[in-house]
Amino acid sequence: AAFCVAKRPDLETHLAWAIAAVATRAFRVNGVVQLLPLVEKMNHSPGGGRLVVTSAGELAFLAGAACAAGDEVFLNYFDGQEASTPERVLAHYGFEPGAVA
C-alpha cells in the first residue's frame, strides 16, 4: 500500500513493513547497515561474488567467476561465513540454504 509523501504515513500500518524491508534487504558494510538498491536485487550463489571496501573507502563488487556481458551476476550472501541456521537464513534472506545452487 503506497502513501502520499505530503501526508504522514500511518505508523501502525507501515512500521512493520519498513522493519521487514530493512531486515531482509540491508547489508552490513564495515559495521554499518546500509540499503544498497542494486545489490539487493542480486541472487545468492555459494560461488557468487562479494562486496569489498577499497582503500579509497568505495564499495566494490568482486565477481566470484568470469562473466560476459548479459550474464547474471550472483552475490554470496554469506561471504565465506557460516549461514548459521536454516531458520535464520529463511527469516533474513527468504530462502532455505539447501534450496539454491
Side-chain angles (χ1 to χ4, degrees):
F3 55 87
C4 178
V5 176
K7 181 179 167 186
R8 182 178 174 170
D10 175 29
L11 287 180
E12 186 175 327
T13 303
H14 298 287
L15 184 60
W17 173 87
I19 290 170
V22 171
T24 59
R25 295 182 177 140
F27 292 86
R28 186 174 300 277
V29 180
N30 278 357
V32 178
V33 175
Q34 300 180 32
L35 292 174
L36 306 170
L38 296 177
V39 174
E40 78 167 64
K41 299 297 183 192
M42 298 172 82
N43 286 316
H44 167 74
S45 173
R50 63 190 184 105
L51 298 174
V52 297
V53 179
T54 68
S55 59
E58 298 171 335
L59 187 63
F61 174 76
L62 297 178
C67 54
D71 285 352
E72 181 173 3
V73 179
F74 293 93
L75 177 67
N76 183 337
Y77 290 176
F78 313 119
D79 193 19
Q81 300 175 3
E82 179 65 34
S84 72
T85 67
E87 294 81 7
R88 181 180 182 279
V89 174
L90 184 61
H92 290 274
Y93 301 105
F95 65 90
E96 295 180 49
V100 293

